[in-house]
Amino acid sequence: MLKPLLPATILIVLVAGLPPCNAAADSFSREYMVKAGFIVNLIRFTTWPESKRPDPGEPFRIGICGSLPAARVVARALSGGRTVKGHVITVRIADLQDLLDSHLVFIAGPVSRGQQKLFPVLHDRSVLSVGEDDDFLSLGGIVNFSVVEHRLVLDINKAAADRSDLSLSARLLQVARTVVSSYRIPAPAEPARQR
Amino acid sequence: MNDSAKFSIKVKLVLLIVSVTTLAVMVAGLIFTIRDQNAARRELRKRLQGTAALIASNATAALTFNDRDTAAELLASVMANRHMHVAAIYDVKGRLFTFRKRASGDHAPRKLTGPSTGPEFENLIEATAPIRIDGRTIGTVMLMADLEALKQRTRELGANLLFATIVAMAVAVLLSITLQGVITTPLKELAEAMKRVRDRRDFSQKLKVDRRDEIGQLIEVFNDLLARLDEHERQAQRHRDNLEEEVAARTVDLERAKREAEAASRIKGEFLANMSHEIRTPLNAIIGMAGLAGKKELSPDLANYIRIINKSARSLLGTINDILDFSKIEAGRMEIESVDFRLSKVIGDVTSMFTEKAAEKGIEILVDISDTVPDVLCGDPMRLQQILVNLVGNAMKFTERGEIEIRAVRTEEDDSHCRLLFSVRDTGIGIPPDKRGSLFSAFTQADGSTSRRFGGTGLGLTISRKLVELMDGNIWVESETGKGSTFHFTAVFSLPDEKEDCTPDTVPDFTGKTVLLVEDNSSSRAVFKKMLESFGFGVVACQSGDEALKAAEDADAGFDIVIVDWMMPGMDGITLTGKLKEKNATAASPFLMITAFGRDVQRREARQAGIEHFLTKPIKRSDLYNAIVEIFSTSRPELFKVEESRPDRSLAGRRVLVVEDNNINRQVAKEILRSYDIICDTADNGAEAVKAVQRQHYDAILMDIQMPEVDGHEATRLIRRIPGMGRLPIIALTAHATVEDRERCLGNGMDDYITKPIDQEELIDCLRGWINGRDTARQTPHAAMPETADNDAGVDAPQLLPGLDVAEGLRRIGGKVEIYRRLLCAFAEEYRDIGPRVSELLEEGNMQKIHLLCHSLKGAAGNISAQTTCELADRICRAATSHDAEEIKRILPELAAAIEEVNAGVESWAAA
């Protein structure tokens, strides 16, 4: 899985200004730095409901939970005063239940049972949930990262997004490998591309 | 003509319109096309740009999430456009993210540099659009489309433009062909109208002006021009008409004037002729009667009166002739004859006319005719003589002493003509330079006072000038006041076809012989010397007696002949002769005396001095030659040519009818004829004459022309019709001295022509010629002897007959032996009883008759060359003149004997 990443990933890593590590660590870090970049971009293609988006001058809160090493890489990539949509990004690594007031949460690694239970809350609070578990969408997650042939691809649960009152850009849907219309549906055995 | 002028206006108009139209269409089309192209290009670019922007927008997520497939999908969607060649997406660093390109296209996405939109290259248009997200540029979309659409559009436009142009041209051609008529038709009409005007020369036509454009102006101007031309033409026509009328009128005037002038001229001519006739008739009488009276025994006073009457009458006659000539010249009727004549005779006649006068004034007349001057010429001797007489007369008039020289030289000659220069030089008072110019004008003399002093009409030189001009010559004068004048004139004569050898110029006999010439006058001496040298003589010329004596003493050999002038200052010719006779060199020489005066008294003196030969000045070359020839060829002591024609008896007993209406003229003629012992009958008019010739035989008729009733011409015609009268000599007597008159007379059957006033000698010569000539002609058929005039073979002339110089006698009558013999017979018959007749008269004391008788004897004897008889008769004549009866008695027996001798000789020949 840890294969040399694409130039885009490298690009994102370089942009993040991460220092070089050992080869394995580099591969791991590079993967998550790319995922961090993807996360920021997801913010750009997503529109939050009026009440849930940050007021001007308020930071954009990103919560990271799950596998800690990954969380740290992502957190580090996202920190540093980066702005998106005119808001400074703040990153917090915590348990999911502590991250319910975030605008976006990244659940690194597989989703635990405990986290599964919080998904409806996330929906209610219009939190964009991003994960990297093959069942993430069927559990009610909105955007899931997966690496296919050294490329990071997106799968999107449109139904969950609708449920969360989040508006995903059509262009985002376009680049997604799979767009799932119902989050109750278990994770699909075969990925099917939809337009 | 340049190229543009070659084509008709029609063609030019069509070309102009079509080309302008085409140009306009094409320019408009071109501008439109360019604008359209630009607009299309902008549009294309804008669209491409829009597409690029759309792609960029759509590609945001794909690029953001590094989704090449999606990006490629996007690009594929634009590649559906067939004009799209390349579509590419670059990342933020400009690196190619993904691209699509047309499979057949050669174009590949280039490296992204420069601005987002760049110029098209290789017929491609390029557009780029940035890919943005959240205000940041994360990449670039680039599209490259070809311009095929643009080109297609251009082609379509071009085709449209071409079509539009063709249509426009077609329309323009049609329109211009239709419309050019608007311009060219009136022009053509104008040209046609002009052509009509030109061809018909009808300037009165007007062209219709129904337009106000330039052609209308042209037509107006043309009409104006036509109007002016028409006016001009009318004027010219009027002028022509007027001119014709005027010419006709003037012609009438002129014809009338001409008729009047001709009538006036005719009247003038008739008047002059009548006047001439009227004046000549009394003059004729005066001269004739004076001449007859002069022959009578008269007291010296009466003789002088008669002489003056005669002279004055002749002078008056000359004046009348001058006036008549002048009027003829004025009328342009002067004509020049062309007959053969001898120049020497003309000049001789002139000089002899003035001999007496010259002698009176003591002036010498010299004649110098150059050797080169032919003697026989063809021209008008009368007129030449008139000029010379005029000039010599003038010279004589104005010269008190010295000499008058007549010279003639030839200045040019060709085969048929020669130009002679005559000069008459005198030593008179001369002519002042200011008077010379008007000298030859009518009625002018050098000086009015001169005119009064010397007389003259002043017409002479004018007439001379005109005559000279008629002879193709000119006349001029050189003069030095006080020293004399020289009048020169030239005249052209034709040369007779056959030159008669009249002057035996070269006789070798004289070559080597010498002459002693004594002559005080240098000019005369020079003339003589020249003449003598031309005969071959060696000449010793002396100017005085003393010089001559010295020359005679100095001479080695004797002179063959001595020629002495009579009148010389110091020692005269007679004294000199006496002295020369004593010199050895000249004692035996024959002497030839040259005198200016043919007076018998002087000759007697000369003869006593031993001079036997005389010549009277002026001396002609032929005279001198003949004299010398005779001196050398005979021993005959005397050489007189009978210079004055005395009444002879050769016509005695002939019967002549004088037809003359004027009593006085009749009398004159009668008297003249009677004085020649011619029996004379008279008739008052032509009718009487015709009757008379039928009654009586006449030897000749003298016929006046102007007579009442039947005039001379008519009478002649009538007489000629009478049988046997065809050959009767009829001689016209008329005052009309014109050539036409004479021709008319001869044309009417008359034989000859004599001008009144009648000159005795001329009349007698004429009669003699006709009567004797007729005799010969008439008698020849009846003569016993055959005609010998041309053929003397049958009659031999005896070489010598007693008392006769046969050779000389024959020579005198041209070698006609038969005539000579008849003359001898007649002579013998006539003068057989001369001795008793003279004796008888001598007893009566009628010296006059003796003189007459002996004079005619002398003439007759001279004619037959009975020299002794001639000489003796002459001596008796002279004795009779001086009433020397003793001398006559002394000579008479000798004369009788001489005649007897001649008669014997004649009879012996006749019997032979």
Side-chain angles (χ1 to χ4, degrees):
Chain A
M1 181 141 186
L2 294 175
K3 296 279 178 168
L5 290 175
L6 286 169
T9 315
I10 291 163
L11 170 71
I12 294 165
V13 170
L14 285 174
V15 168
L18 293 173
C21 305
N22 56 64
D26 282 352
S27 174
F28 176 83
S29 307
R30 226 177 283 143
E31 184 188 330
Y32 282 94
M33 282 167 77
V34 172
K35 286 178 179 169
F38 266 54
I39 287 165
V40 175
N41 286 336
L42 282 175
I43 298 166
R44 289 178 175 136
F45 290 96
T46 306
T47 307
W48 275 263
E50 197 80 25
S51 56
K52 299 294 193 286
R53 71 178 68 149
D55 297 326
E58 279 187 29
F60 193 89
R61 292 181 295 273
I62 295 177
I64 303 171
C65 58
S67 166
L68 202 58
R72 286 191 182 134
V73 172
V74 171
R76 193 162 59 232
L78 296 176
S79 60
R82 288 182 66 173
T83 58
V84 67
K85 290 183 176 177
H87 303 276
V88 178
I89 295 171
T90 61
V91 184
R92 190 157 59 107
I93 300 174
D95 288 335
L96 185 57
Q97 57 200 29
D98 298 327
L99 295 174
L100 293 177
D101 61 341
S102 297
H103 295 96
L104 183 148
V105 289
F106 178 59
I107 301 164
V111 180
S112 63
R113 295 280 173 129
Q115 291 168 334
Q116 283 182 19
K117 292 177 186 168
L118 289 175
F119 274 32
V121 182
L122 293 178
H123 291 161
D124 293 337
R125 297 198 176 200
S126 296
V127 176
L128 180 62
S129 54
V130 182
E132 50 183 351
D133 184 336
D134 289 342
D135 294 323
F136 185 71
L137 295 188
S138 56
L139 294 178
I142 297 172
V143 177
N144 185 44
F145 295 146
S146 47
V147 175
V148 179
E149 294 170 0
H150 309 297
R151 277 186 60 210
L152 190 62
V153 299
L154 296 177
D155 296 301
I156 293 169
N157 187 342
K158 178 78 166 53
D162 292 342
R163 170 85 171 81
S164 306
D165 208 11
L166 287 172
S167 170
L168 295 180
S169 162
R171 283 171 283 179
L172 182 64
L173 299 178
Q174 205 171 21
V175 300
R177 184 179 58 176
T178 309
V179 178
V180 178
S181 302
S182 166
Y183 71 93
R184 291 292 177 192
I185 304 171
E190 287 177 342
R193 293 202 87 150
Q194 287 179 351
R195 288 260 171 136
Chain B
M1 201 190 274
N2 54 30
D3 289 348
S4 69
K6 282 181 193 165
F7 303 103
S8 71
I9 288 179
K10 176 177 169 176
V11 171
K12 275 185 271 192
L13 273 173
V14 171
L15 283 176
L16 188 70
I17 292 170
V18 169
S19 55
V20 166
T21 310
T22 309
L23 194 66
V25 169
M26 285 180 78
V27 167
L30 207 62
I31 289 169
F32 175 75
T33 305
I34 290 168
R35 286 179 70 88
D36 182 74
Q37 283 277 298
N38 287 341
R41 194 183 293 271
R42 272 197 306 277
E43 180 66 21
L44 199 62
R45 191 187 297 281
K46 207 170 151 189
R47 247 173 29 216
L48 197 61
Q49 195 72 45
T51 308
L54 186 66
I55 297 296
S57 171
N58 286 340
T60 315
L63 186 61
T64 305
F65 299 105
N66 202 22
D67 183 354
R68 290 171 199 272
D69 293 336
T70 304
E73 288 281 324
L74 272 174
L75 293 180
S77 70
V78 297
M79 289 306 285
N81 185 338
R82 60 189 172 89
H83 296 302
M84 201 65 75
H85 278 244
V86 177
I89 295 173
Y90 300 84
D91 64 18
V92 73
K93 293 272 180 74
R95 285 176 301 216
L96 187 62
F97 176 68
T98 185
F99 76 96
R100 282 294 179 96
K101 78 182 192 81
R102 190 154 297 284
S104 61
D106 300 327
H107 305 286
R110 61 181 178 89
K111 196 174 180 188
L112 184 65
T113 51
S116 58
T117 58
E120 58 265 41
F121 57 97
E122 295 176 23
N123 292 323
L124 292 180
I125 187 169
E126 183 189 284
T128 55
I131 303 172
R132 289 168 180 277
I133 188 163
D134 195 20
R136 287 195 304 129
T137 299
I138 58 167
T140 305
V141 171
M142 190 202 72
L143 296 178
M144 288 170 83
D146 63 20
L147 295 170
E148 210 40 53
L150 202 61
K151 284 180 184 169
Q152 180 63 31
R153 197 184 170 111
T154 307
R155 276 196 290 274
E156 281 169 12
L157 271 174
N160 288 344
L161 183 60
L162 190 66
F163 178 71
T165 306
I166 288 166
V167 169
M169 276 175 76
V171 170
V173 166
L174 284 173
L175 267 182
S176 60
I177 284 171
T178 313
L179 291 179
Q180 53 85 22
V182 173
I183 292 166
T184 54
T185 304
L187 278 178
K188 271 184 190 166
E189 283 170 6
L190 184 59
E192 282 299 316
M194 283 175 166
K195 214 179 281 176
R196 278 201 303 278
V197 168
R198 182 196 64 193
D199 292 344
R200 297 184 194 158
R201 295 188 61 76
D202 179 6
F203 302 132
S204 59
Q205 279 199 3
K206 285 282 176 290
L207 300 186
K208 213 165 54 193
V209 189
D210 50 2
R211 46 200 310 149
R212 299 181 62 88
D213 59 3
E214 288 85 345
I215 288 169
Q217 289 171 18
L218 186 60
I219 291 171
E220 271 174 24
V221 172
F222 178 66
N223 278 342
D224 195 28
L225 189 67
L226 275 186
R228 289 191 191 185
L229 268 175
D230 191 30
E231 178 60 23
H232 196 73
E233 185 79 355
R234 280 172 206 278
Q235 275 182 7
Q237 187 61 44
R238 275 201 296 280
H239 278 300
R240 275 199 293 278
D241 295 345
N242 287 350
L243 192 64
E244 273 166 26
E245 283 167 22
E246 216 164 287
V247 166
R250 291 213 183 145
T251 307
V252 169
D253 288 351
L254 282 174
E255 275 170 3
R256 194 170 59 235
K258 182 166 169 265
R259 275 199 305 275
E260 284 169 2
E262 279 170 354
S265 174
R266 198 169 55 244
I267 290 163
K268 187 178 159 194
E270 282 167 9
F271 171 75
L272 276 167
N274 287 337
M275 283 303 288
S276 163
H277 181 74
E278 292 303 322
I279 296 170
R280 276 162 188 266
T281 301
L283 265 180
N284 186 31
I286 293 166
I287 290 168
M289 288 306 179
L292 289 172
K295 289 179 181 173
K296 301 286 181 193
E297 288 276 357
L298 295 169
S299 70
D301 283 353
L302 273 178
N304 195 32
Y305 299 159
I306 295 292
R307 195 175 57 79
I308 291 167
I309 289 170
N310 202 346
K311 195 175 147 192
S312 303
R314 284 183 187 277
S315 169
L316 182 56
L317 182 64
T319 303
I320 290 164
N321 283 341
D322 272 1
I323 293 170
L324 194 62
D325 279 348
F326 182 72
S327 73
K328 270 195 254 175
I329 287 167
E330 289 289 282
R333 286 168 57 195
M334 179 63 85
E335 284 173 31
I336 292 294
E337 269 193 304
S338 189
V339 296
D340 291 355
F341 67 97
R342 282 177 188 273
L343 181 63
S344 53
K345 180 173 186 306
V346 170
I347 292 182
D349 289 351
V350 172
T351 54
S352 56
M353 245 179 253
F354 292 98
T355 306
E356 198 179 344
K357 195 157 190 183
E360 278 172 20
K361 292 180 97 170
I363 298 167
E364 285 201 72
I365 297 180
L366 311 171
V367 175
D368 179 12
I369 301 174
S370 162
D371 290 346
T372 57
V373 176
D375 192 37
V376 180
L377 298 166
C378 182
D380 192 333
M382 291 300 295
R383 296 304 180 188
L384 177 61
Q385 184 170 337
Q386 191 177 351
I387 299 164
L388 286 168
V389 165
N390 204 331
L391 296 179
V392 175
N394 279 347
M396 190 65 80
K397 224 184 272 178
F398 298 113
T399 303
E400 298 303 334
R401 68 186 70 81
E403 65 210 19
I404 293 168
E405 185 186 35
I406 303 168
R407 301 187 63 204
V409 294
R410 194 183 67 192
T411 55
E412 45 186 86
E413 183 180 40
D414 59 24
D415 285 347
S416 55
H417 292 85
C418 73
R419 181 181 292 275
L420 300 183
L421 168 67
F422 295 91
S423 308
V424 176
R425 180 178 63 81
D426 65 45
T427 54
I429 58 175
I431 303 161
D434 55 325
K435 299 287 172 60
R436 280 173 214 159
S438 56
L439 210 55
F440 297 100
S441 307
F443 312 113
T444 311
Q445 274 190 335
D447 190 348
S449 61
T450 317
S451 178
R452 281 190 294 281
R453 186 167 143 211
F454 297 103
T457 56
L459 288 177
L461 285 175
T462 310
I463 293 166
S464 297
R465 192 190 66 183
K466 284 289 176 186
L467 292 175
V468 164
E469 283 167 4
L470 288 171
M471 293 183 191
D472 286 341
N474 47 14
I475 186 166
W476 69 97
V477 65
E478 291 168 5
S479 182
E480 198 176 332
T481 312
K483 291 201 175 170
S485 314
T486 308
F487 282 82
H488 302 275
F489 70 90
T490 59
V492 174
F493 298 94
S494 31
L495 298 170
D497 294 340
E498 296 166 30
K499 288 191 180 177
E500 293 178 42
D501 186 18
C502 55
T503 312
D505 271 341
T506 51
V507 176
D509 288 6
F510 299 143
T511 311
K513 292 189 189 294
T514 53
V515 177
L516 178 63
L517 173 66
V518 192
E519 164 66 272
D520 61 315
N521 181 299
S522 61
S523 313
S524 186
R525 190 169 63 242
V527 171
F528 274 127
K529 190 158 184 271
K530 207 157 72 182
M531 285 183 188
L532 289 165
E533 281 170 350
S534 76
F535 300 152
F537 283 107
V539 181
V540 176
C542 306
Q543 67 172 13
S544 69
D546 292 337
E547 204 178 295
L549 289 171
K550 192 164 176 296
E553 277 170 21
D554 294 349
D556 297 335
F559 287 100
D560 294 294
I561 186 166
V562 180
I563 298 175
V564 183
D565 187 26
W566 181 298
M567 290 293 290
M568 288 190 293
M571 196 186 300
D572 71 14
I574 293 174
T575 316
L576 175 63
T577 305
K579 290 189 176 176
L580 283 173
K581 284 281 184 189
E582 293 161 12
K583 302 290 179 189
N584 287 334
T586 50
S589 307
F591 277 69
L592 174 60
M593 176 72 73
I594 297 165
T595 75
F597 326 105
R599 290 181 190 164
D600 290 347
V601 181
Q602 290 158 334
R603 290 196 176 174
R604 201 179 307 131
E605 282 178 38
R607 205 171 280 117
Q608 281 162 5
I611 298 169
E612 296 295 338
H613 308 283
F614 297 90
L615 277 175
T616 308
K617 283 186 186 178
I619 292 166
K620 290 171 274 181
R621 195 165 172 274
S622 58
D623 293 342
L624 183 64
Y625 178 80
N626 287 337
I628 291 170
V629 166
E630 287 186 23
I631 287 168
F632 281 107
S633 61
T634 73
S635 56
R636 218 151 49 94
E638 190 168 356
L639 186 81
F640 269 115
K641 273 189 141 178
V642 181
E643 293 183 347
E644 300 133 82
S645 182
R646 298 285 162 78
D648 60 26
R649 292 186 54 76
S650 60
L651 292 171
R654 298 295 188 183
R655 190 176 283 271
V656 171
L657 178 63
V658 175
V659 188
E660 167 68 82
D661 62 321
N662 182 291
N663 188 33
I664 297 170
N665 280 346
R666 210 158 56 222
Q667 292 260 329
V668 170
K670 203 170 166 184
E671 290 301 325
I672 291 171
L673 292 174
R674 199 181 283 163
S675 75
Y676 286 83
D677 294 339
I678 297 167
I679 301 162
C680 179
D681 291 345
T682 59
D684 287 352
N685 58 49
E688 273 186 35
V690 175
K691 283 179 207 154
V693 294
Q694 286 167 309
R695 274 200 308 271
Q696 173 73 45
H697 165 78
Y698 292 103
D699 293 295
I701 298 176
L702 295 176
M703 178 76 78
D704 187 25
I705 297 298
Q706 285 191 318
M707 287 184 297
E709 296 174 34
V710 181
D711 71 6
H713 296 300
E714 181 62 24
T716 304
R717 274 195 293 276
L718 291 171
I719 290 168
R720 287 288 183 230
R721 273 187 219 146
I722 299 167
M725 295 296 166
R727 307 182 68 176
L728 175 63
I730 300 177
I731 297 158
L733 289 176
T734 180
H736 299 282
T738 62
V739 177
E740 307 93 77
D741 282 334
R742 188 162 82 174
E743 280 170 3
R744 189 161 168 234
C745 290
L746 300 182
N748 279 329
M750 300 190 183
D751 295 296
D752 209 338
Y753 175 99
I754 289 174
T755 318
K756 286 195 274 188
I758 298 163
D759 184 278
Q760 290 187 26
E761 287 173 36
E762 194 187 351
L763 174 62
I764 295 305
D765 277 350
C766 183
L767 280 174
R768 193 186 290 133
W770 284 106
I771 294 172
N772 288 348
R774 300 290 292 196
D775 278 354
T776 309
R778 218 180 267 162
Q779 286 169 13
T780 301
H782 312 292
M785 302 297 167
E787 174 57 67
T788 55
D790 295 320
N791 178 11
D792 288 339
V795 182
D796 289 329
Q799 288 305 305
L800 194 66
L801 287 174
L804 289 170
D805 185 345
V806 177
E808 171 69 12
L810 279 172
R811 190 185 64 76
R812 275 176 185 271
I813 59 164
K816 295 180 172 60
V817 177
E818 175 55 24
I819 292 171
Y820 186 49
R821 204 173 78 137
R822 267 198 283 121
L823 279 174
L824 288 180
C825 291
F827 180 81
E829 185 70 26
E830 181 76 26
Y831 295 106
R832 191 179 296 280
D833 54 349
I834 188 76
R837 270 155 70 188
V838 173
S839 301
E840 217 172 280
L841 291 166
L842 198 56
E843 278 166 27
E844 289 171 17
N846 192 341
M847 288 300 182
Q848 184 75 27
K849 283 236 172 112
I850 291 172
H851 180 272
L852 282 174
L853 184 58
C854 287
H855 191 91
S856 68
L857 173 59
K858 185 189 113 182
N863 280 343
I864 61 167
S865 294
Q867 283 125 354
T868 315
T869 311
C870 180
E871 187 194 337
L872 291 170
D874 185 47
R875 281 166 70 183
I876 291 175
C877 274
R878 283 200 297 273
T881 311
S882 55
H883 297 270
D884 191 345
E886 288 306 306
E887 173 79 355
I888 294 170
K889 278 179 191 159
R890 200 162 53 243
I891 300 167
L892 199 54
E894 284 181 57
L895 179 64
I899 289 187
E900 195 62 37
E901 191 183 26
V902 170
N903 283 354
V906 168
E907 275 162 15
S908 71
W909 188 17

